[in-house]
Amino acid sequence: MRTVILLILSNLFMTVAWYGHLRHRGVTLWKVILISWGIAFFEYCLQVPANRWGYGQFTAFQLKILQEIITLLVFVAFAITYLHEPLRWNYAVAFLFILAAVYFAFLPASSTPAQP
């Protein structure tokens, strides 16, 4: 649970760093980059421990896939509430396919050894 909470918090920071400036188009690009780097620092302070502590409970593949689905969920909430963009049906369908990928990634490993 600690890993998931840290991943959610880290994604909040990264989403703001990457997309928060879109409502402030008048700010010069170099300032936006510096501000984004500053925000991203805190994302790394949460992301690295999440991966460090989560590895073992999850495989590296599962951590990455979990990270991506959390990223999408955080982004959807951010885009709707902060950027005031609608969630169109085709975006929802695409997200459902990604969610299906998460399901498959977390299935138990088969007992059959992989073929070379």
Side-chain angles (χ1 to χ4, degrees), residues 1 5 11 19 32-33 38 41-43 45 47 49 59 62 74 80 86 96 99 102 105 111-113:
M1 191 61 158
I5 291 169
N11 273 281
Y19 301 101
V32 169
I33 291 170
F41 169 78
F42 296 102
E43 184 270 342
C45 289
Q47 178 75 29
T59 67
Q62 289 174 329
V74 168
I80 291 169
L96 286 174
L99 190 57
V102 173
S111 59
T112 308

Side-chain angles (χ1 to χ4, degrees), residues 42-63:
F42 296 102
E43 184 270 342
Y44 275 81
C45 289
L46 297 166
Q47 178 75 29
V48 171
N51 287 331
R52 173 68 64 99
W53 293 329
Y55 187 63
Q57 177 185 3
F58 302 106
T59 67
F61 287 104
Q62 289 174 329
L63 278 170

Side-chain angles (χ1 to χ4, degrees), residues 17 21 27-41:
H21 61 90
V27 179
T28 59
L29 186 56
W30 70 268
K31 287 180 184 176
V32 169
I33 291 170
L34 289 178
I35 292 167
S36 292
W37 277 354
I39 296 168
F41 169 78

